[in-house]
Amino acid sequence: VQLVESGGGSVQIGGSLRLSCAASGFTVDDYSIAWFRQAPGKEREAVACLNRRDGRTYVVESMRGRFTISSDSAKTTVYLQLNSLKPEDTAVYYCAGDDIGNMCLVQDYYGMDYWGKGILVTVSS
């Protein structure tokens, strides 16, 4: 089981990025996949989740309306669309997976078993 993030980089305030989480060794149908982020000097926080059991998506309330989680038709990649980016969105973004069907219903998606190495997103003026 391996997760690899891509698509990060530097963007101006108000810009957009699409992060990808490529899964190998399994498909998204088999795992709940979530995105997290960790800003400099801060704790890691949950961002969004794609629930294995029913395919429903969840986005943390503070980011709802700007961030969207989705998967491709082949169920091997999960995306995190970041719109209207702000400097406070600067962070390392991680994707994580777990085979628990309703993992997205766990508070803060706590307890994901598999993690990518993370990718940096920098938002500046």
Side-chain angles (χ1 to χ4, degrees), residues 41-93:
K42 295 188 177 181
E43 293 187 355
R44 188 176 63 203
E45 63 177 338
V47 175
C49 193
L50 174 61
N51 202 44
R52 179 183 73 83
R53 178 67 58 86
D54 54 13
R56 291 188 65 179
T57 60
Y58 300 83
V59 178
V60 171
E61 184 174 3
S62 62
M63 304 170 206
R64 208 169 293 161
R66 298 193 300 124
F67 295 178
T68 306
I69 186 171
S70 63
S71 67
D72 67 342
S73 58
K75 305 294 185 181
T76 59
T77 302
V78 174
Y79 302 104
L80 183 67
Q81 180 68 41
L82 310 174
N83 295 330
S84 302
L85 283 163
K86 307 173 182 179
E88 51 264 42
D89 295 318
T90 295
V92 176
Y93 285 72

mmCIF file of all heavy atoms in Angstrom, residues 41-93:
data_model
loop_
_atom_site.group_PDB
_atom_site.id
_atom_site.type_symbol
_atom_site.label_atom_id
_atom_site.label_comp_id
_atom_site.label_asym_id
_atom_site.label_seq_id
_atom_site.Cartn_x
_atom_site.Cartn_y
_atom_site.Cartn_z
ATOM 1 N N GLY A 41 4.839 25.291 12.405
ATOM 2 C CA GLY A 41 4.618 25.599 13.810
ATOM 3 C C GLY A 41 3.261 25.221 14.354
ATOM 4 O O GLY A 41 2.929 25.558 15.499
ATOM 5 N N LYS A 42 2.458 24.532 13.555
ATOM 6 C CA LYS A 42 1.114 24.150 13.997
ATOM 7 C C LYS A 42 0.938 22.642 13.945
ATOM 8 O O LYS A 42 1.709 21.928 13.314
ATOM 9 C CB LYS A 42 0.068 24.843 13.120
ATOM 10 C CG LYS A 42 0.063 26.355 13.243
ATOM 11 C CD LYS A 42 -1.120 26.953 12.506
ATOM 12 C CE LYS A 42 -1.167 28.460 12.688
ATOM 13 N NZ LYS A 42 -2.333 29.067 11.996
ATOM 14 N N GLU A 43 -0.116 22.187 14.599
ATOM 15 C CA GLU A 43 -0.424 20.762 14.574
ATOM 16 C C GLU A 43 -1.088 20.388 13.251
ATOM 17 O O GLU A 43 -1.690 21.221 12.572
ATOM 18 C CB GLU A 43 -1.346 20.416 15.742
ATOM 19 C CG GLU A 43 -0.697 20.566 17.102
ATOM 20 C CD GLU A 43 -1.591 20.059 18.217
ATOM 21 O OE1 GLU A 43 -2.740 19.690 17.944
ATOM 22 O OE2 GLU A 43 -1.123 20.037 19.370
ATOM 23 N N ARG A 44 -0.992 19.133 12.932
ATOM 24 C CA ARG A 44 -1.649 18.633 11.740
ATOM 25 C C ARG A 44 -3.166 18.714 11.913
ATOM 26 O O ARG A 44 -3.683 18.452 13.000
ATOM 27 C CB ARG A 44 -1.240 17.184 11.489
ATOM 28 C CG ARG A 44 -1.714 16.608 10.164
ATOM 29 C CD ARG A 44 -1.176 15.210 9.996
ATOM 30 N NE ARG A 44 -1.683 14.308 11.026
ATOM 31 C CZ ARG A 44 -1.082 13.194 11.397
ATOM 32 N NH1 ARG A 44 0.068 12.849 10.828
ATOM 33 N NH2 ARG A 44 -1.617 12.421 12.313
ATOM 34 N N GLU A 45 -3.856 19.074 10.853
ATOM 35 C CA GLU A 45 -5.311 19.170 10.919
ATOM 36 C C GLU A 45 -5.951 18.448 9.735
ATOM 37 O O GLU A 45 -5.375 18.352 8.648
ATOM 38 C CB GLU A 45 -5.761 20.635 10.947
ATOM 39 C CG GLU A 45 -5.410 21.438 9.720
ATOM 40 C CD GLU A 45 -5.953 22.862 9.772
ATOM 41 O OE1 GLU A 45 -6.915 23.122 10.520
ATOM 42 O OE2 GLU A 45 -5.407 23.703 9.030
ATOM 43 N N ALA A 46 -7.149 17.946 9.979
ATOM 44 C CA ALA A 46 -7.901 17.279 8.918
ATOM 45 C C ALA A 46 -8.429 18.302 7.932
ATOM 46 O O ALA A 46 -8.757 19.442 8.309
ATOM 47 C CB ALA A 46 -9.046 16.492 9.530
ATOM 48 N N VAL A 47 -8.519 17.895 6.681
ATOM 49 C CA VAL A 47 -9.008 18.798 5.641
ATOM 50 C C VAL A 47 -10.265 18.225 4.976
ATOM 51 O O VAL A 47 -11.300 18.870 4.925
ATOM 52 C CB VAL A 47 -7.928 19.041 4.572
ATOM 53 C CG1 VAL A 47 -8.489 19.884 3.423
ATOM 54 C CG2 VAL A 47 -6.698 19.699 5.187
ATOM 55 N N ALA A 48 -10.170 17.003 4.468
ATOM 56 C CA ALA A 48 -11.292 16.428 3.726
ATOM 57 C C ALA A 48 -11.150 14.916 3.698
ATOM 58 O O ALA A 48 -10.064 14.382 3.930
ATOM 59 C CB ALA A 48 -11.326 16.974 2.297
ATOM 60 N N CYS A 49 -12.272 14.237 3.388
ATOM 61 C CA CYS A 49 -12.255 12.781 3.410
ATOM 62 C C CYS A 49 -13.227 12.213 2.395
ATOM 63 O O CYS A 49 -14.316 12.781 2.176
ATOM 64 C CB CYS A 49 -12.620 12.297 4.817
ATOM 65 S SG CYS A 49 -12.301 10.551 5.133
ATOM 66 N N LEU A 50 -12.840 11.083 1.798
ATOM 67 C CA LEU A 50 -13.691 10.329 0.884
ATOM 68 C C LEU A 50 -13.964 8.991 1.559
ATOM 69 O O LEU A 50 -13.037 8.205 1.791
ATOM 70 C CB LEU A 50 -12.980 10.144 -0.456
ATOM 71 C CG LEU A 50 -13.663 9.264 -1.505
ATOM 72 C CD1 LEU A 50 -15.007 9.829 -1.893
ATOM 73 C CD2 LEU A 50 -12.771 9.117 -2.726
ATOM 74 N N ASN A 51 -15.214 8.741 1.886
ATOM 75 C CA ASN A 51 -15.577 7.589 2.695
ATOM 76 C C ASN A 51 -15.743 6.338 1.843
ATOM 77 O O ASN A 51 -16.497 6.338 0.861
ATOM 78 C CB ASN A 51 -16.889 7.889 3.425
ATOM 79 C CG ASN A 51 -17.060 7.036 4.650
ATOM 80 O OD1 ASN A 51 -16.122 6.857 5.416
ATOM 81 N ND2 ASN A 51 -18.244 6.508 4.841
ATOM 82 N N ARG A 52 -15.070 5.248 2.235
ATOM 83 C CA ARG A 52 -15.120 4.023 1.445
ATOM 84 C C ARG A 52 -16.518 3.419 1.418
ATOM 85 O O ARG A 52 -16.987 2.967 0.384
ATOM 86 C CB ARG A 52 -14.143 2.997 1.998
ATOM 87 C CG ARG A 52 -14.152 1.675 1.230
ATOM 88 C CD ARG A 52 -13.216 0.660 1.861
ATOM 89 N NE ARG A 52 -13.731 0.119 3.111
ATOM 90 C CZ ARG A 52 -14.593 -0.877 3.180
ATOM 91 N NH1 ARG A 52 -15.068 -1.429 2.082
ATOM 92 N NH2 ARG A 52 -14.990 -1.328 4.353
ATOM 93 N N ARG A 53 -17.182 3.421 2.545
ATOM 94 C CA ARG A 53 -18.430 2.665 2.668
ATOM 95 C C ARG A 53 -19.497 3.138 1.698
ATOM 96 O O ARG A 53 -20.183 2.328 1.075
ATOM 97 C CB ARG A 53 -18.940 2.774 4.111
ATOM 98 C CG ARG A 53 -20.259 2.088 4.372
ATOM 99 C CD ARG A 53 -20.141 0.564 4.248
ATOM 100 N NE ARG A 53 -19.155 0.010 5.137
ATOM 101 C CZ ARG A 53 -19.373 -0.328 6.399
ATOM 102 N NH1 ARG A 53 -20.548 -0.108 6.937
ATOM 103 N NH2 ARG A 53 -18.409 -0.878 7.115
ATOM 104 N N ASP A 54 -19.614 4.463 1.533
ATOM 105 C CA ASP A 54 -20.703 4.962 0.704
ATOM 106 C C ASP A 54 -20.274 5.973 -0.350
ATOM 107 O O ASP A 54 -21.116 6.518 -1.069
ATOM 108 C CB ASP A 54 -21.785 5.588 1.588
ATOM 109 C CG ASP A 54 -21.224 6.647 2.523
ATOM 110 O OD1 ASP A 54 -20.065 7.075 2.320
ATOM 111 O OD2 ASP A 54 -21.934 7.046 3.453
ATOM 112 N N GLY A 55 -18.962 6.248 -0.412
ATOM 113 C CA GLY A 55 -18.476 7.179 -1.416
ATOM 114 C C GLY A 55 -18.749 8.641 -1.112
ATOM 115 O O GLY A 55 -18.470 9.516 -1.928
ATOM 116 N N ARG A 56 -19.288 8.919 0.063
ATOM 117 C CA ARG A 56 -19.588 10.305 0.413
ATOM 118 C C ARG A 56 -18.295 11.063 0.694
ATOM 119 O O ARG A 56 -17.297 10.492 1.104
ATOM 120 C CB ARG A 56 -20.495 10.373 1.634
ATOM 121 C CG ARG A 56 -21.911 9.860 1.376
ATOM 122 C CD ARG A 56 -22.809 10.125 2.556
ATOM 123 N NE ARG A 56 -22.998 11.566 2.775
ATOM 124 C CZ ARG A 56 -23.757 12.077 3.738
ATOM 125 N NH1 ARG A 56 -24.383 11.276 4.562
ATOM 126 N NH2 ARG A 56 -23.873 13.374 3.862
ATOM 127 N N THR A 57 -18.367 12.354 0.447
ATOM 128 C CA THR A 57 -17.208 13.203 0.695
ATOM 129 C C THR A 57 -17.493 14.173 1.821
ATOM 130 O O THR A 57 -18.643 14.587 2.041
ATOM 131 C CB THR A 57 -16.817 13.984 -0.570
ATOM 132 O OG1 THR A 57 -17.919 14.808 -0.975
ATOM 133 C CG2 THR A 57 -16.438 13.047 -1.697
ATOM 134 N N TYR A 58 -16.462 14.518 2.537
ATOM 135 C CA TYR A 58 -16.560 15.422 3.669
ATOM 136 C C TYR A 58 -15.427 16.433 3.582
ATOM 137 O O TYR A 58 -14.304 16.075 3.240
ATOM 138 C CB TYR A 58 -16.438 14.652 4.988
ATOM 139 C CG TYR A 58 -17.499 13.599 5.174
ATOM 140 C CD1 TYR A 58 -17.358 12.335 4.606
ATOM 141 C CD2 TYR A 58 -18.647 13.867 5.914
ATOM 142 C CE1 TYR A 58 -18.336 11.379 4.760
ATOM 143 C CE2 TYR A 58 -19.628 12.901 6.077
ATOM 144 C CZ TYR A 58 -19.467 11.657 5.494
ATOM 145 O OH TYR A 58 -20.439 10.708 5.645
ATOM 146 N N VAL A 59 -15.744 17.667 3.889
ATOM 147 C CA VAL A 59 -14.739 18.728 3.971
ATOM 148 C C VAL A 59 -14.932 19.440 5.296
ATOM 149 O O VAL A 59 -16.063 19.766 5.683
ATOM 150 C CB VAL A 59 -14.871 19.720 2.805
ATOM 151 C CG1 VAL A 59 -13.844 20.838 2.937
ATOM 152 C CG2 VAL A 59 -14.711 19.015 1.464
ATOM 153 N N VAL A 60 -13.830 19.678 5.970
ATOM 154 C CA VAL A 60 -13.885 20.386 7.245
ATOM 155 C C VAL A 60 -14.586 21.734 7.046
ATOM 156 O O VAL A 60 -14.345 22.434 6.061
ATOM 157 C CB VAL A 60 -12.458 20.564 7.804
ATOM 158 C CG1 VAL A 60 -12.461 21.481 9.000
ATOM 159 C CG2 VAL A 60 -11.860 19.219 8.148
ATOM 160 N N GLU A 61 -15.452 22.080 7.966
ATOM 161 C CA GLU A 61 -16.335 23.229 7.803
ATOM 162 C C GLU A 61 -15.592 24.509 7.461
ATOM 163 O O GLU A 61 -16.034 25.287 6.605
ATOM 164 C CB GLU A 61 -17.161 23.435 9.068
ATOM 165 C CG GLU A 61 -18.185 24.549 8.956
ATOM 166 C CD GLU A 61 -19.073 24.627 10.168
ATOM 167 O OE1 GLU A 61 -18.866 23.858 11.129
ATOM 168 O OE2 GLU A 61 -19.986 25.473 10.163
ATOM 169 N N SER A 62 -14.470 24.746 8.086
ATOM 170 C CA SER A 62 -13.742 25.994 7.863
ATOM 171 C C SER A 62 -13.189 26.105 6.444
ATOM 172 O O SER A 62 -12.846 27.206 5.995
ATOM 173 C CB SER A 62 -12.609 26.128 8.872
ATOM 174 O OG SER A 62 -11.672 25.080 8.722
ATOM 175 N N MET A 63 -13.122 24.988 5.731
ATOM 176 C CA MET A 63 -12.580 24.989 4.384
ATOM 177 C C MET A 63 -13.656 24.692 3.336
ATOM 178 O O MET A 63 -13.375 24.702 2.125
ATOM 179 C CB MET A 63 -11.470 23.949 4.274
ATOM 180 C CG MET A 63 -10.379 24.167 5.304
ATOM 181 S SD MET A 63 -9.208 22.809 5.380
ATOM 182 C CE MET A 63 -8.621 22.938 7.071
ATOM 183 N N ARG A 64 -14.855 24.441 3.803
ATOM 184 C CA ARG A 64 -15.930 24.102 2.885
ATOM 185 C C ARG A 64 -16.232 25.286 1.984
ATOM 186 O O ARG A 64 -16.250 26.424 2.418
ATOM 187 C CB ARG A 64 -17.160 23.714 3.698
ATOM 188 C CG ARG A 64 -18.103 22.749 3.024
ATOM 189 C CD ARG A 64 -19.120 22.267 4.064
ATOM 190 N NE ARG A 64 -18.478 21.449 5.085
ATOM 191 C CZ ARG A 64 -19.014 21.200 6.278
ATOM 192 N NH1 ARG A 64 -20.168 21.731 6.608
ATOM 193 N NH2 ARG A 64 -18.387 20.413 7.130
ATOM 194 N N GLY A 65 -16.489 24.985 0.738
ATOM 195 C CA GLY A 65 -16.743 26.049 -0.227
ATOM 196 C C GLY A 65 -15.507 26.451 -0.994
ATOM 197 O O GLY A 65 -15.611 27.021 -2.088
ATOM 198 N N ARG A 66 -14.332 26.155 -0.460
ATOM 199 C CA ARG A 66 -13.093 26.444 -1.162
ATOM 200 C C ARG A 66 -12.373 25.176 -1.590
ATOM 201 O O ARG A 66 -11.711 25.150 -2.618
ATOM 202 C CB ARG A 66 -12.148 27.283 -0.290
ATOM 203 C CG ARG A 66 -12.681 28.640 0.091
ATOM 204 C CD ARG A 66 -11.573 29.520 0.673
ATOM 205 N NE ARG A 66 -10.965 28.942 1.865
ATOM 206 C CZ ARG A 66 -9.663 28.700 1.992
ATOM 207 N NH1 ARG A 66 -8.826 28.980 1.002
ATOM 208 N NH2 ARG A 66 -9.187 28.196 3.122
ATOM 209 N N PHE A 67 -12.485 24.132 -0.784
ATOM 210 C CA PHE A 67 -11.787 22.883 -1.054
ATOM 211 C C PHE A 67 -12.788 21.785 -1.406
ATOM 212 O O PHE A 67 -13.871 21.719 -0.830
ATOM 213 C CB PHE A 67 -10.985 22.437 0.163
ATOM 214 C CG PHE A 67 -9.851 23.352 0.543
ATOM 215 C CD1 PHE A 67 -9.074 23.064 1.664
ATOM 216 C CD2 PHE A 67 -9.544 24.480 -0.195
ATOM 217 C CE1 PHE A 67 -8.017 23.883 2.034
ATOM 218 C CE2 PHE A 67 -8.498 25.319 0.161
ATOM 219 C CZ PHE A 67 -7.740 25.015 1.286
ATOM 220 N N THR A 68 -12.399 20.927 -2.341
ATOM 221 C CA THR A 68 -13.244 19.828 -2.777
ATOM 222 C C THR A 68 -12.411 18.567 -2.905
ATOM 223 O O THR A 68 -11.301 18.625 -3.437
ATOM 224 C CB THR A 68 -13.899 20.138 -4.133
ATOM 225 O OG1 THR A 68 -14.584 21.389 -4.062
ATOM 226 C CG2 THR A 68 -14.888 19.049 -4.517
ATOM 227 N N ILE A 69 -12.948 17.442 -2.452
ATOM 228 C CA ILE A 69 -12.272 16.161 -2.602
ATOM 229 C C ILE A 69 -13.048 15.313 -3.593
ATOM 230 O O ILE A 69 -14.286 15.316 -3.599
ATOM 231 C CB ILE A 69 -12.117 15.438 -1.235
ATOM 232 C CG1 ILE A 69 -11.277 14.182 -1.379
ATOM 233 C CG2 ILE A 69 -13.481 15.149 -0.611
ATOM 234 C CD1 ILE A 69 -10.896 13.547 -0.020
ATOM 235 N N SER A 70 -12.313 14.601 -4.437
ATOM 236 C CA SER A 70 -12.952 13.749 -5.441
ATOM 237 C C SER A 70 -11.987 12.643 -5.840
ATOM 238 O O SER A 70 -10.827 12.640 -5.418
ATOM 239 C CB SER A 70 -13.349 14.568 -6.677
ATOM 240 O OG SER A 70 -12.193 15.114 -7.294
ATOM 241 N N SER A 71 -12.482 11.707 -6.651
ATOM 242 C CA SER A 71 -11.611 10.645 -7.159
ATOM 243 C C SER A 71 -11.806 10.506 -8.660
ATOM 244 O O SER A 71 -12.815 10.956 -9.207
ATOM 245 C CB SER A 71 -11.896 9.321 -6.452
ATOM 246 O OG SER A 71 -13.188 8.851 -6.778
ATOM 247 N N ASP A 72 -10.847 9.856 -9.302
ATOM 248 C CA ASP A 72 -10.983 9.629 -10.737
ATOM 249 C C ASP A 72 -11.816 8.376 -10.985
ATOM 250 O O ASP A 72 -12.102 7.609 -10.067
ATOM 251 C CB ASP A 72 -9.609 9.514 -11.390
ATOM 252 C CG ASP A 72 -8.848 8.267 -10.953
ATOM 253 O OD1 ASP A 72 -9.214 7.666 -9.911
ATOM 254 O OD2 ASP A 72 -7.877 7.892 -11.632
ATOM 255 N N SER A 73 -12.208 8.187 -12.233
ATOM 256 C CA SER A 73 -13.112 7.080 -12.562
ATOM 257 C C SER A 73 -12.455 5.719 -12.345
ATOM 258 O O SER A 73 -13.130 4.733 -12.070
ATOM 259 C CB SER A 73 -13.608 7.202 -14.008
ATOM 260 O OG SER A 73 -12.503 7.218 -14.894
ATOM 261 N N ALA A 74 -11.133 5.675 -12.448
ATOM 262 C CA ALA A 74 -10.424 4.412 -12.243
ATOM 263 C C ALA A 74 -10.233 4.088 -10.768
ATOM 264 O O ALA A 74 -9.764 3.003 -10.425
ATOM 265 C CB ALA A 74 -9.065 4.465 -12.940
ATOM 266 N N LYS A 75 -10.592 5.034 -9.918
ATOM 267 C CA LYS A 75 -10.521 4.835 -8.460
ATOM 268 C C LYS A 75 -9.097 4.585 -7.970
ATOM 269 O O LYS A 75 -8.871 3.853 -7.005
ATOM 270 C CB LYS A 75 -11.408 3.656 -8.026
ATOM 271 C CG LYS A 75 -12.858 3.796 -8.471
ATOM 272 C CD LYS A 75 -13.533 4.954 -7.787
ATOM 273 C CE LYS A 75 -15.020 5.002 -8.152
ATOM 274 N NZ LYS A 75 -15.692 6.139 -7.509
ATOM 275 N N THR A 76 -8.121 5.216 -8.669
ATOM 276 C CA THR A 76 -6.747 5.054 -8.213
ATOM 277 C C THR A 76 -6.135 6.358 -7.738
ATOM 278 O O THR A 76 -5.030 6.359 -7.197
ATOM 279 C CB THR A 76 -5.871 4.498 -9.351
ATOM 280 O OG1 THR A 76 -5.925 5.402 -10.461
ATOM 281 C CG2 THR A 76 -6.334 3.119 -9.776
ATOM 282 N N THR A 77 -6.832 7.452 -7.942
ATOM 283 C CA THR A 77 -6.312 8.752 -7.549
ATOM 284 C C THR A 77 -7.410 9.557 -6.864
ATOM 285 O O THR A 77 -8.549 9.582 -7.333
ATOM 286 C CB THR A 77 -5.794 9.538 -8.767
ATOM 287 O OG1 THR A 77 -4.783 8.778 -9.422
ATOM 288 C CG2 THR A 77 -5.207 10.883 -8.333
ATOM 289 N N VAL A 78 -7.041 10.186 -5.777
ATOM 290 C CA VAL A 78 -7.961 11.087 -5.078
ATOM 291 C C VAL A 78 -7.401 12.498 -5.200
ATOM 292 O O VAL A 78 -6.201 12.714 -5.008
ATOM 293 C CB VAL A 78 -8.113 10.690 -3.604
ATOM 294 C CG1 VAL A 78 -8.946 11.719 -2.845
ATOM 295 C CG2 VAL A 78 -8.768 9.311 -3.506
ATOM 296 N N TYR A 79 -8.271 13.427 -5.497
ATOM 297 C CA TYR A 79 -7.859 14.801 -5.720
ATOM 298 C C TYR A 79 -8.337 15.698 -4.586
ATOM 299 O O TYR A 79 -9.378 15.462 -3.968
ATOM 300 C CB TYR A 79 -8.443 15.328 -7.031
ATOM 301 C CG TYR A 79 -8.056 14.516 -8.237
ATOM 302 C CD1 TYR A 79 -8.971 13.641 -8.826
ATOM 303 C CD2 TYR A 79 -6.787 14.610 -8.782
ATOM 304 C CE1 TYR A 79 -8.627 12.892 -9.936
ATOM 305 C CE2 TYR A 79 -6.431 13.862 -9.894
ATOM 306 C CZ TYR A 79 -7.352 13.001 -10.462
ATOM 307 O OH TYR A 79 -7.003 12.255 -11.565
ATOM 308 N N LEU A 80 -7.583 16.737 -4.353
ATOM 309 C CA LEU A 80 -8.020 17.809 -3.462
ATOM 310 C C LEU A 80 -7.889 19.111 -4.240
ATOM 311 O O LEU A 80 -6.783 19.565 -4.535
ATOM 312 C CB LEU A 80 -7.177 17.861 -2.185
ATOM 313 C CG LEU A 80 -7.616 18.909 -1.170
ATOM 314 C CD1 LEU A 80 -8.994 18.547 -0.591
ATOM 315 C CD2 LEU A 80 -6.599 19.056 -0.050
ATOM 316 N N GLN A 81 -9.024 19.670 -4.609
ATOM 317 C CA GLN A 81 -9.047 20.936 -5.330
ATOM 318 C C GLN A 81 -9.031 22.071 -4.326
ATOM 319 O O GLN A 81 -9.903 22.135 -3.442
ATOM 320 C CB GLN A 81 -10.295 21.015 -6.208
ATOM 321 C CG GLN A 81 -10.412 22.310 -7.008
ATOM 322 C CD GLN A 81 -9.365 22.435 -8.094
ATOM 323 O OE1 GLN A 81 -9.045 21.482 -8.780
ATOM 324 N NE2 GLN A 81 -8.819 23.649 -8.240
ATOM 325 N N LEU A 82 -8.062 22.940 -4.459
ATOM 326 C CA LEU A 82 -7.903 24.078 -3.543
ATOM 327 C C LEU A 82 -8.173 25.354 -4.326
ATOM 328 O O LEU A 82 -7.446 25.678 -5.262
ATOM 329 C CB LEU A 82 -6.485 24.109 -2.977
ATOM 330 C CG LEU A 82 -5.931 22.818 -2.368
ATOM 331 C CD1 LEU A 82 -4.460 23.010 -1.991
ATOM 332 C CD2 LEU A 82 -6.729 22.396 -1.161
ATOM 333 N N ASN A 83 -9.200 26.069 -3.950
ATOM 334 C CA ASN A 83 -9.557 27.325 -4.625
ATOM 335 C C ASN A 83 -9.499 28.494 -3.642
ATOM 336 O O ASN A 83 -9.535 28.292 -2.425
ATOM 337 C CB ASN A 83 -10.966 27.229 -5.209
ATOM 338 C CG ASN A 83 -11.077 26.202 -6.319
ATOM 339 O OD1 ASN A 83 -10.121 25.935 -7.054
ATOM 340 N ND2 ASN A 83 -12.250 25.599 -6.440
ATOM 341 N N SER A 84 -9.420 29.686 -4.188
ATOM 342 C CA SER A 84 -9.416 30.914 -3.379
ATOM 343 C C SER A 84 -8.393 30.813 -2.245
ATOM 344 O O SER A 84 -8.709 31.070 -1.083
ATOM 345 C CB SER A 84 -10.818 31.178 -2.820
ATOM 346 O OG SER A 84 -11.765 31.288 -3.857
ATOM 347 N N LEU A 85 -7.206 30.431 -2.601
ATOM 348 C CA LEU A 85 -6.190 30.148 -1.579
ATOM 349 C C LEU A 85 -5.764 31.400 -0.833
ATOM 350 O O LEU A 85 -5.703 32.511 -1.386
ATOM 351 C CB LEU A 85 -4.986 29.468 -2.223
ATOM 352 C CG LEU A 85 -5.231 27.985 -2.539
ATOM 353 C CD1 LEU A 85 -4.206 27.466 -3.531
ATOM 354 C CD2 LEU A 85 -5.204 27.155 -1.271
ATOM 355 N N LYS A 86 -5.481 31.187 0.443
ATOM 356 C CA LYS A 86 -5.076 32.254 1.358
ATOM 357 C C LYS A 86 -3.695 31.930 1.912
ATOM 358 O O LYS A 86 -3.296 30.754 1.932
ATOM 359 C CB LYS A 86 -6.070 32.355 2.508
ATOM 360 C CG LYS A 86 -7.517 32.501 2.082
ATOM 361 C CD LYS A 86 -8.435 32.430 3.281
ATOM 362 C CE LYS A 86 -9.895 32.520 2.873
ATOM 363 N NZ LYS A 86 -10.802 32.434 4.048
ATOM 364 N N PRO A 87 -2.981 32.925 2.403
ATOM 365 C CA PRO A 87 -1.660 32.638 2.987
ATOM 366 C C PRO A 87 -1.726 31.594 4.103
ATOM 367 O O PRO A 87 -0.793 30.789 4.247
ATOM 368 C CB PRO A 87 -1.222 34.000 3.527
ATOM 369 C CG PRO A 87 -1.913 34.981 2.649
ATOM 370 C CD PRO A 87 -3.255 34.370 2.338
ATOM 371 N N GLU A 88 -2.803 31.579 4.849
ATOM 372 C CA GLU A 88 -2.936 30.613 5.941
ATOM 373 C C GLU A 88 -3.165 29.186 5.457
ATOM 374 O O GLU A 88 -3.179 28.244 6.258
ATOM 375 C CB GLU A 88 -4.048 31.014 6.908
ATOM 376 C CG GLU A 88 -5.375 31.313 6.255
ATOM 377 C CD GLU A 88 -5.576 32.807 5.988
ATOM 378 O OE1 GLU A 88 -4.602 33.465 5.549
ATOM 379 O OE2 GLU A 88 -6.702 33.289 6.205
ATOM 380 N N ASP A 89 -3.333 29.015 4.159
ATOM 381 C CA ASP A 89 -3.420 27.670 3.602
ATOM 382 C C ASP A 89 -2.036 27.083 3.338
ATOM 383 O O ASP A 89 -1.924 25.903 2.965
ATOM 384 C CB ASP A 89 -4.219 27.677 2.290
ATOM 385 C CG ASP A 89 -5.668 28.053 2.485
ATOM 386 O OD1 ASP A 89 -6.280 27.565 3.463
ATOM 387 O OD2 ASP A 89 -6.194 28.829 1.662
ATOM 388 N N THR A 90 -1.011 27.883 3.516
ATOM 389 C CA THR A 90 0.353 27.390 3.345
ATOM 390 C C THR A 90 0.620 26.276 4.350
ATOM 391 O O THR A 90 0.457 26.459 5.560
ATOM 392 C CB THR A 90 1.367 28.527 3.540
ATOM 393 O OG1 THR A 90 1.189 29.490 2.496
ATOM 394 C CG2 THR A 90 2.789 28.002 3.513
ATOM 395 N N ALA A 91 1.016 25.117 3.823
ATOM 396 C CA ALA A 91 1.205 23.950 4.678
ATOM 397 C C ALA A 91 1.749 22.802 3.842
ATOM 398 O O ALA A 91 1.748 22.860 2.602
ATOM 399 C CB ALA A 91 -0.125 23.530 5.315
ATOM 400 N N VAL A 92 2.192 21.770 4.537
ATOM 401 C CA VAL A 92 2.450 20.490 3.885
ATOM 402 C C VAL A 92 1.146 19.704 3.919
ATOM 403 O O VAL A 92 0.540 19.558 4.986
ATOM 404 C CB VAL A 92 3.572 19.713 4.586
ATOM 405 C CG1 VAL A 92 3.755 18.341 3.938
ATOM 406 C CG2 VAL A 92 4.875 20.505 4.538
ATOM 407 N N TYR A 93 0.723 19.258 2.766
ATOM 408 C CA TYR A 93 -0.529 18.515 2.640
ATOM 409 C C TYR A 93 -0.219 17.028 2.496
ATOM 410 O O TYR A 93 0.639 16.645 1.693
ATOM 411 C CB TYR A 93 -1.331 19.020 1.443
ATOM 412 C CG TYR A 93 -1.987 20.356 1.692
ATOM 413 C CD1 TYR A 93 -1.234 21.526 1.752
ATOM 414 C CD2 TYR A 93 -3.364 20.454 1.885
ATOM 415 C CE1 TYR A 93 -1.826 22.757 2.009
ATOM 416 C CE2 TYR A 93 -3.969 21.685 2.128
ATOM 417 C CZ TYR A 93 -3.197 22.821 2.189
ATOM 418 O OH TYR A 93 -3.799 24.040 2.437
#
